Amino acid sequence: TMSVKAFKLVSAVEREMLMGDKNYINIECIECCGKNLYIGTNDCFIYHFLLDEKISTAGKITFAATKQLHKYLGLKKPVSELKAASALTRLLVLCDNTITLVNMMNLEPVPTGARIKGAVTFALNENPVSGDPFCVEVCIISVKRRTIQMFMVFEDRVQIVKEVFTPEQPSAVAVDGYYLCLALTTQYIILNYNTGVSQDLFPYCSDEKRPIVKRIGRQEFLLAGPGGLGMFATVDGISQRAPVHWSENVIGAALCFPYVVALDDEFITVHSMLDQQQKQTLPFKEGHILQDFEGKVFAATNKGVYILVPLPLEKQIQDLLASHRVEEALVLAKGARRNIPKEKFQVCPSFTFHENINFTQAGFIQFAQLQFLEAKELFRSGQLDVRELISLYPFLLPTSSSFIRSHPPLHEYADLNQLTQGDQEKMTKCKRFLMSYLNEVRSTEVANGYKEDIDTALLKLYAEANHESLLDLLVSENFCLLTDSAAWLEKHKKYFALGLLYHYNGQDAAALQLWVKIVDGDIQDSTRSDLYEYIVDFLTFCSDHDLVWKYSGWVLQKNEEVGVQIFTKRPLEEQEKNNINPDDIIGCLNKYPKARVKYLEHLVLERKTEKEKHHTHLAVLYLEAILQLKSVTTDNCTETTELLFKLRGLLQKSDLYRIRFILDKIQGTDLHMESAILYGKLEEHEKALHILVHELKDFHAAEEYCMWNSENRDVQYRRRLFHMLLSVYLSPGASDCALVMAAVDLLNNHAAEFDAALVLQLVPDSWSVQLLSPFLAGAVRKSIHTKRMTQATLGLAQAENLIYKHEKVKQKGTPILLSDKKVCQVCQNPFCEPVFVRYPNGGMVHTHCAAKRHLNSNMTHHSSSSSNQT
């Protein structure tokens, strides 16, 4: 597709400047070195011009050629080729099969007359192997059949280096290091003139079509291939690039990255090396020369010289983007980014571009076509200032934002309305894309410096779309600007979210005020159906106690049992420090009886408070509630049963309430079980058991009473309680058959808790043995077991005692006999008194001798292990 204006053809040397009215003069060859342009003609002249590049204020480039001099070589033959060797200030001139060295400035031949004879054509080695900066390596195709010659050319002399023979007659050559790329009669080859190794590339008939062999970079050549292909080949004989398609009749080629320029009889065509497409066609009749020199591309007819001025790649990319040719623009931008920094190609010096702008412009084009995935990748590649995208959406940027759109603009749209032309479906898709994109970039480096703008825009999008992520944004770290965000949330009636925003910005009072209005129905917001519970939870963890007190009445009025959680579920560390005085809380809860009970239960049962007044208060509240319920109905309802269970549990487990006070309150009521528990706490067990047995007739409860009252007590205490219960059952005058059976069951079921001898004294003589057989059997079994266990214990103790006695005897050892006939082993004097020191070897010494012996190092070991006996 011819879609790029890559070059502009500009005249460099007009016909009149060169030949005036002499029509017979034709241009044969050209050479350019810096500003110096040399032209060789068919009448054996060399012309030297100075080229000046001029840029107008409108950016138009022109060239002004100033003729310096011309020189006649005197051979009456055309000047076939010119090559400049700037390091030597020499121009190599091929005329009449002879290469002559002339001075670049005055065009005079070197005084020595140094020349190379017998050359059909020649090429300079642009990757020389000699390493001498004042030497040029020249390769010639010799007039001798199938012969190539290598020369070293100095300022005033030449020296042949190598002569190489080829399998066919060569017609064109290019050189890189030791490698020659040759066009032979029927094919192209690569030949290493140092080793003689050659490699065939591909066939080409040089007799039918003019071959092209051009070095385009280090160890790489461009060749005219069969079928109108421009082929690339390396010195290894491989192609690393796809070929370009040019004319079948191509006669010249040049390179200006990323383009290959080709010349045929009628046109100059421009081909991209990046996508192999033909990009531009310039009419150019009668052209016969196309060459590039240091990045400048020259074309010539027989009568004039022209320069192909490249448009800056930035301008080319911009033109492609303006035509919405995004793919081509990206290929060009990416290819330039990948290759331009490497000095691998002859690059146009005027090449300048800002690749990031290209990517972002391409991104906006894709965005406008709703190609969101492609747009996102381009925005990333171009490191888009995300505010450029946000600014397309009306009212999303905060009013405080100082953002001004890029100049020149990255797109042609005023806003999203213009871009979508009011299509609501497209607008919705664009907004969805922006949500996704902002959510992705907000935590990356792209957001640095713009976090407030990004998060505020994201909040506005979420609120407008009623998106579930709005709440997630507000409860996590964010940079939403309060003023803008609050106004937007209020506009879209997102009052719960607005409360979260206030809370995040430390304005809890404003948040609570809003939420309370929602619960009370003053404003409508259905975001949370459990908003009341949320407020309770919020107040529970709120560190501002003034707010807790302010809204405590409101939450308790709504629901006492849930509302009291603002006090009962406060963080543990805060409760331990008693940051809010429990007595103040109880005072506040006096208006709310259910909440007060819940809070006291929390203090007593969960926090295990040891304050007597809290335990007593809770017991009194339970008692009052029970009596109130009993006054209304005689039957025990579920609520009464539950309260009785709680009261009994408290009375049994707590030791901190005022027992007498509670007992006085119970007097005169039918709460007999509770009275019994209280008497038990006062150690008045007979009274308690009497109530349980005679008033309640609850024998099981009486047994349970004995069990829980003797928990964590010794065996004797428990036994005493059970004997008390038995005595109550068997008290004089208790002839009730039920009591007798209860006594029998007590004995038979708890035989282990009784002293059998005492029981036998208590039970009436009229009771049969059969009646008490389980008890008696258990008592006998227990007695025998106890006796046997005692005997076993005694036997074990006796055995242990025997072991200890044996150890003691062993410790005593053999007797030691001392008489006045025994002498001290040290001083050899007899013992005068029964005091001595005995060594392990049996030797005996005086105590004073042993003390002295300690000082002797020879006795140190013995002394340390000796034992004294007196």
Side-chain angles (χ1 to χ4, degrees):
T1 57
M2 286 171 278
S3 56
V4 182
K5 187 175 181 182
F7 295 93
K8 187 177 180 183
L9 198 61
V10 177
S11 175
V13 178
E14 299 287 348
R15 168 186 173 142
E16 290 75 17
M17 292 182 67
L18 189 65
M19 56 196 70
D21 54 358
K22 300 174 184 174
N23 285 331
Y24 63 87
I25 298 176
N26 289 332
I27 297 171
E28 290 289 328
C29 59
I30 59 174
E31 169 71 332
C32 185
C33 181
K35 290 187 174 185
N36 300 291
L37 175 65
Y38 301 94
I39 299 174
T41 61
N42 62 338
D43 59 347
C44 208
F45 274 86
I46 302 173
Y47 293 82
H48 178 199
F49 293 90
L50 274 185
L51 275 180
D52 268 327
E53 184 176 330
K54 295 180 180 179
I55 303 176
S56 69
T57 52
K60 185 178 179 182
I61 297 175
T62 55
F63 290 90
T66 310
K67 184 175 176 181
Q68 300 300 296
L69 72 161
H70 61 277
K71 179 74 178 176
Y72 178 57
L73 297 181
L75 297 173
K76 296 186 180 179
K77 296 278 187 176
V79 176
S80 305
E81 289 184 48
L82 296 170
K83 295 276 190 263
S86 57
L88 312 178
T89 63
R90 295 291 179 262
L91 189 65
L92 281 70
V93 183
L94 174 61
C95 182
D96 194 21
N97 297 129
T98 302
I99 300 172
T100 310
L101 301 184
V102 303
N103 186 291
M104 280 179 70
M105 295 301 109
N106 59 24
L107 302 182
E108 292 295 332
V110 293
T112 59
R115 63 188 60 204
I116 299 171
K117 293 184 177 178
V120 177
T121 183
F122 73 102
L124 303 186
N125 190 350
E126 294 174 45
N127 181 22
V129 295
S130 71
D132 185 345
F134 300 105
C135 161
V136 174
E137 297 173 20
V138 177
C139 172
I140 73 164
I141 294 177
S142 175
V143 291
K144 289 197 279 183
R145 295 275 305 157
R146 298 184 304 167
T147 304
I148 299 287
Q149 292 175 331
M150 299 298 299
F151 287 87
M152 291 176 70
V153 177
F154 300 89
E155 280 189 3
D156 53 4
R157 64 189 176 90
V158 297
Q159 175 185 332
I160 189 164
V161 177
K162 192 91 172 177
E163 187 170 80
V164 183
F165 298 101
T166 58
E168 296 175 5
Q169 179 62 29
S171 57
V173 64
V175 196
D176 187 291
Y178 287 112
Y179 293 97
L180 307 177
C181 185
L182 293 164
L184 305 181
T185 310
T186 63
Q187 65 176 341
Y188 289 104
I189 66 166
I190 296 284
L191 173 65
N192 185 318
Y193 73 80
N194 188 44
T195 62
V197 176
S198 70
Q199 181 167 356
D200 296 348
L201 294 178
F202 50 84
Y204 190 80
C205 186
S206 298
D207 292 339
E208 293 178 10
K209 291 180 183 176
R210 179 174 170 180
I212 293 173
V213 181
K214 178 172 178 56
R215 179 184 181 272
I216 62 165
R218 188 174 178 79
Q219 299 189 340
E220 189 171 14
F221 303 96
L222 173 64
L223 313 170
L229 293 177
M231 307 282 284
F232 298 93
T234 67
V235 295
D236 298 318
I238 59 173
S239 182
Q240 295 176 323
R241 306 172 194 276
V244 294
H245 293 262
W246 56 28
S247 164
E248 290 272 3
N249 305 314
V250 68
I251 52 177
L255 184 121
C256 181
F257 187 84
Y259 299 113
V260 170
V261 185
L263 172 70
D264 64 18
D265 299 333
E266 296 188 9
F267 300 100
I268 294 172
T269 54
V270 179
H271 309 264
S272 171
M273 294 168 68
L274 302 173
D275 61 8
Q276 293 74 53
Q277 298 296 318
Q278 183 172 323
K279 299 294 182 182
Q280 188 179 7
T281 301
L282 297 164
F284 194 70
K285 290 186 182 297
E286 299 178 1
H288 72 108
I289 297 172
L290 182 70
Q291 284 177 271
D292 56 82
F293 305 102
E294 300 161 351
K296 286 193 181 74
V297 180
F298 284 76
T301 62
N302 285 333
K303 306 299 181 185
V305 180
Y306 302 85
I307 297 177
L308 273 79
V309 179
L311 269 70
L313 283 192
E314 170 64 13
K315 177 71 168 66
Q316 295 178 38
I317 294 167
Q318 289 295 317
D319 290 346
L320 285 169
L321 289 172
S323 306
H324 288 198
R325 296 179 182 272
V326 177
E327 289 301 322
E328 289 181 71
L330 292 178
V331 167
L332 186 53
K334 288 175 182 176
R337 177 170 64 176
R338 191 166 55 248
N339 291 284
I340 287 298
K342 302 173 187 175
E343 294 178 2
K344 188 175 179 180
F345 302 100
Q346 302 164 22
V347 180
C348 306
S350 60
F351 172 70
T352 57
F353 73 102
H354 303 289
E355 64 181 21
N356 284 354
I357 293 176
N358 299 329
F359 285 127
T360 50
Q361 285 178 323
F364 276 109
I365 292 168
Q366 297 282 39
F367 173 75
Q369 295 168 358
L370 308 189
Q371 302 294 319
F372 296 127
L373 282 175
E374 294 83 352
K376 182 163 69 174
E377 288 308 312
L378 291 167
F379 289 153
R380 281 180 179 162
S381 301
Q383 298 172 11
L384 171 72
D385 178 343
V386 72
R387 296 175 300 174
E388 287 280 0
L389 183 58
I390 297 171
S391 69
L392 267 176
Y393 297 71
F395 310 116
L396 284 198
L397 275 176
T399 50
S400 58
S401 176
S402 58
F403 173 72
I404 299 171
R405 283 187 183 177
S406 169
H407 188 79
L410 299 175
H411 54 80
E412 60 196 28
Y413 306 106
D415 58 24
L416 198 61
N417 292 317
Q418 182 194 344
L419 187 147
T420 60
Q421 296 180 332
D423 186 323
Q424 286 302 313
E425 188 180 347
K426 285 184 180 178
M427 205 173 288
T428 303
K429 286 179 180 177
C430 290
K431 286 179 179 177
R432 259 194 238 123
F433 165 69
L434 184 61
M435 275 185 225
S436 165
Y437 185 67
L438 293 182
N439 191 45
E440 282 182 35
V441 303
R442 66 186 294 263
S443 56
T444 65
E445 289 180 5
V446 175
N448 289 350
Y450 321 130
K451 290 180 184 285
E452 292 87 353
D453 294 346
I454 291 172
D455 282 2
T456 304
L458 196 53
L459 175 140
K460 290 179 177 181
L461 286 167
Y462 283 157
E464 187 179 48
N466 197 23
H467 200 282
E468 59 189 12
S469 297
L470 173 62
L471 304 184
D472 295 331
L473 174 67
L474 288 168
V475 297
S476 57
E477 185 187 13
N478 67 79
F479 296 87
C480 300
L481 292 172
L482 179 60
T483 310
D484 266 64
S485 303
W488 192 270
L489 291 172
E490 194 164 350
K491 174 186 171 186
H492 291 279
K493 296 184 168 39
K494 297 292 176 187
Y495 299 113
F496 175 71
L498 178 54
L500 291 178
L501 179 70
Y502 283 140
H503 168 57
Y504 189 81
N505 285 275
Q507 299 184 18
D508 288 353
L512 280 165
Q513 189 176 7
L514 260 179
W515 293 336
V516 166
K517 282 184 177 180
I518 297 171
V519 175
D520 287 342
D522 298 337
I523 52 178
Q524 301 300 314
D525 183 345
S526 59
T527 305
R528 287 195 74 130
S529 57
D530 62 341
L531 183 53
Y532 168 74
E533 288 79 5
Y534 182 87
I535 294 171
V536 169
D537 196 51
F538 183 85
L539 286 168
T540 301
F541 293 93
C542 180
S543 56
D544 185 343
H545 295 159
D546 290 338
L547 275 180
V548 177
W549 286 119
K550 179 178 178 180
Y551 288 98
S552 60
W554 181 83
V555 297
L556 289 164
Q557 282 170 7
K558 290 284 177 189
N559 186 325
E560 286 187 40
E561 293 179 336
V562 176
V564 76
Q565 291 174 11
I566 66 173
F567 299 122
T568 60
K569 291 193 175 179
R570 297 200 73 72
L572 192 60
E573 61 274 10
E574 186 180 313
Q575 291 189 40
E576 287 171 353
K577 293 175 185 173
N578 279 337
N579 286 353
I580 301 182
N581 190 330
D583 293 334
D584 293 339
I585 295 172
I586 294 167
C588 165
L589 297 177
N590 280 332
K591 298 178 194 171
Y592 310 101
K594 290 181 182 177
R596 182 174 55 185
V597 170
K598 287 277 184 189
Y599 183 68
L600 283 167
E601 284 176 345
H602 164 71
L603 283 180
V604 172
L605 304 177
E606 293 176 23
R607 285 183 58 189
K608 310 292 184 190
T609 179
E610 295 187 356
K611 286 190 175 182
E612 168 271 317
K613 62 180 177 181
H614 295 150
H615 287 251
T616 305
H617 195 171
L618 181 58
V620 169
L621 289 177
Y622 282 154
L623 185 56
E624 288 176 349
I626 292 165
L627 294 175
Q628 171 65 25
L629 286 168
K630 281 183 175 289
S631 69
V632 176
T633 175
T634 52
D635 297 328
N636 277 358
C637 62
T638 307
E639 191 177 350
T640 309
T641 305
E642 189 179 329
L643 282 169
L644 282 167
F645 181 76
K646 287 182 177 181
L647 176 60
R648 288 170 190 171
L650 176 65
L651 295 178
Q652 281 180 352
K653 293 173 185 174
S654 172
D655 296 320
L656 296 169
Y657 56 87
R658 289 158 60 194
I659 302 168
R660 292 283 181 193
F661 179 75
I662 303 296
L663 195 54
D664 289 343
K665 283 193 168 291
I666 287 178
Q667 294 297 335
T669 69
D670 61 349
L671 300 178
H672 302 301
M673 178 65 78
E674 289 70 24
S675 300
I677 294 169
L678 291 167
Y679 281 124
K681 288 286 181 180
L682 293 170
E683 295 287 328
E684 296 180 17
H685 299 301
E686 290 88 349
K687 287 184 180 179
L689 291 169
H690 186 274
I691 292 169
L692 293 171
V693 173
H694 293 295
E695 295 190 28
L696 286 177
K697 299 192 184 304
D698 190 341
F699 308 133
H700 178 71
E703 289 179 22
E704 287 292 317
Y705 175 90
C706 294
M707 296 295 287
W708 68 260
N709 259 299
S710 59
E711 275 182 8
N712 304 319
R713 299 293 189 100
D714 58 27
V715 176
Q716 291 304 320
Y717 188 89
R718 174 172 291 207
R719 182 168 289 178
R720 187 163 68 84
L721 283 180
F722 273 95
H723 274 281
M724 277 185 195
L725 179 56
L726 182 61
S727 298
V728 171
Y729 285 153
L730 300 176
S731 59
S735 57
D736 190 342
C737 186
L739 291 178
V740 173
M741 289 312 298
V744 172
D745 288 342
L746 180 67
L747 288 170
N748 288 338
N749 293 334
H750 298 280
E753 310 296 348
F754 291 93
D755 183 332
L758 287 175
V759 170
L760 290 174
Q761 292 173 16
L762 278 174
V763 297
D765 295 337
S766 58
W767 286 15
S768 67
V769 173
Q770 187 180 1
L771 190 64
L772 290 175
S773 61
F775 168 72
L776 292 171
V780 170
R781 191 181 300 113
K782 181 184 176 187
S783 178
I784 293 169
H785 175 71
T786 304
K787 180 184 177 183
R788 287 174 179 169
M789 288 301 292
T790 305
Q791 287 173 337
T793 305
L794 178 64
L796 289 170
Q798 287 173 338
E800 189 178 13
N801 181 256
L802 189 61
I803 291 167
Y804 287 143
K805 282 181 178 178
H806 177 247
E807 287 295 322
K808 185 179 179 183
V809 170
K810 275 172 65 180
Q811 292 298 324
K812 285 184 177 180
T814 55
I816 299 166
L817 300 174
L818 183 66
S819 69
D820 54 0
K821 293 179 181 178
K822 289 262 186 181
V823 293
C824 171
Q825 282 192 351
V826 175
C827 67
Q828 301 301 316
N829 292 322
F831 290 92
C832 301
E833 53 184 350
V835 179
F836 61 90
V837 173
R838 180 181 180 274
Y839 289 118
N841 61 5
M844 290 186 289
V845 298
H846 293 116
T847 53
H848 56 271
C849 292
K852 287 178 185 175
R853 199 69 175 265
H854 264 294
L855 301 173
N856 190 327
S857 60
N858 292 330
M859 294 295 288
T860 300
H861 174 69
H862 296 297
S863 301
S864 64
S865 59
S866 64
S867 60
N868 293 346
Q869 296 189 8
T870 59

